[in-house]
Amino acid sequence: MAGENDKSAKQDRSSRDDRLKSALRENLKRRKVQARERAAITDPSQNDDASLDEGTAGKTGD
């Protein structure tokens, strides 16, 4: 009986580990997508702002 309980415990542990690995993998994928979206949103606005600031900084109000 002890052998059966050990096998059952190992299978439960293995199953749990597999579920955790899968959940972590999905979470990582989701976070990478979110990071890419944030980078895509912030990069163009920073470039636009910088180019506008540089264009107006050189003018002296002629």
Side-chain angles (χ1 to χ4, degrees), residues 21-51:
K21 285 178 189 178
S22 178
L24 286 171
R25 216 175 286 120
E26 292 301 318
N27 188 24
L28 181 61
K29 287 179 187 178
R30 187 171 52 249
R31 291 180 67 179
K32 282 184 176 182
V33 168
Q34 289 173 348
R36 285 187 204 117
E37 289 173 353
R38 285 189 201 119
I41 291 171
T42 57
D43 285 344
S45 65
Q46 289 176 354
N47 291 340
D48 291 343
D49 291 343
S51 64

Side-chain angles (χ1 to χ4, degrees), residues 6 12 15 18 22-23 28 35 43 45 48 54-56 62:
D6 288 342
D12 290 344
S15 176
D18 290 343
S22 178
L28 181 61
D43 285 344
S45 65
D48 291 343
E54 290 171 4
T56 57
D62 291 320

